[in-house]
């Protein structure tokens, strides 16, 4: 179950509703809510997906952007050194996960960083010039007059 509402973003950003809908569709994973994540708007065309990956080190995580999907995977490498004793209670999940996000057209991954148990993936929407809106001049309905000079032979 989702704990945040993107409806205010739908109302304030005309034309971006598909982007938020696609970002909001997390598919797959070990459990429906694992790992928890946030989607933030950090600028006009910039977004950040933050995934809580407590207990995972950088080599145990992978971020792959392919076509219109962003896939974040985590696989815990269990070593014998970490097992110093018997675990009485394990509340910190250390299971493997895969979280897939569908990205809207023209959304590119700028980068990813891991800090304080949170994986931040920065996204930017770069619309090509040909797809950007352009201003159409409004005329008065009359064809433009052309100045025509004719040279007469003298």
């Amino acid at each position: 179950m989702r704990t945040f509402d993107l409806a205010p973003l739908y109302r304030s950003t005309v034309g971006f509703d598909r982007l938020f809908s696609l970002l909001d569709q997390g598919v797959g994973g070990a459990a429906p809510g694992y790992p928890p994540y946030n989607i933030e708007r950090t600028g006009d065309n910039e977004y950040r997906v933050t995934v809580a990956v407590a207990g995972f080190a950088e080599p145990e995580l992978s971020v792959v952007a392919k076509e219109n999907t962003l896939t974040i995977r985590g696989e815990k490498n269990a070593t014998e050194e970490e097992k110093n004793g018997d675990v009485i209670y394990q509340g910190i999940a250390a299971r493997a996960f895969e979280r897939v996000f569908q990205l809207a057209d023209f959304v590119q991954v700028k980068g990813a960083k891991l800090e304080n148990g949170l994986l931040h993936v920065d996204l930017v929407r770069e619309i090509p010039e040909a797809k950007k809106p352009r201003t159409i001049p409004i005329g008065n309905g009359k064809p433009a007059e052309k100045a025509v000079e004719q040279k007469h032979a003298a």
Side-chain angles (χ1 to χ4, degrees):
M1 178 175 215
R2 187 171 72 191
T3 59
F4 54 90
D5 184 20
L6 292 177
L9 297 175
Y10 292 139
R11 289 191 297 268
S12 65
T13 54
V14 176
F16 287 96
D17 54 342
R18 183 169 178 253
L19 171 69
F20 291 122
S21 295
L22 290 173
L23 278 173
D24 192 34
Q25 294 174 357
V27 181
Y34 179 76
Y37 66 93
N38 291 339
I39 301 173
E40 307 169 59
R41 183 176 179 178
T42 58
D44 287 340
N45 288 319
E46 297 176 356
Y47 308 91
R48 173 177 275 183
V49 176
T50 302
V51 182
V53 291
F56 285 88
E58 212 171 300
E60 299 169 332
L61 297 169
S62 71
V63 179
V64 178
K66 182 179 179 185
E67 296 174 3
N68 282 1
T69 60
L70 170 67
T71 305
I72 301 172
R73 285 188 187 95
E75 189 169 341
K76 198 72 173 152
N77 297 329
T79 61
E80 293 300 320
E81 296 173 8
E82 294 177 9
K83 297 182 179 181
N84 294 334
D86 293 333
V87 177
I88 296 172
Y89 172 79
Q90 184 170 356
I92 299 173
R95 62 185 180 261
F97 69 88
E98 180 176 295
R99 180 75 73 176
V100 179
F101 298 92
Q102 296 296 319
L103 301 177
D105 295 334
F106 314 117
V107 174
Q108 302 295 322
V109 178
K110 280 196 325 190
K113 64 180 177 178
L114 179 65
E115 63 180 14
N116 300 326
L118 298 174
L119 177 66
H120 302 287
V121 181
D122 293 320
L123 308 169
V124 64
R125 186 171 191 210
E126 296 176 349
I127 302 172
E129 287 296 322
K131 301 284 184 180
K132 288 185 179 177
R134 58 187 173 100
T135 304
I136 309 297
I138 300 173
N140 58 6
K142 296 180 183 176
E145 295 181 19
K146 294 182 181 178
V148 178
E149 289 184 25
Q150 292 182 348
K151 294 185 179 182
H152 295 288

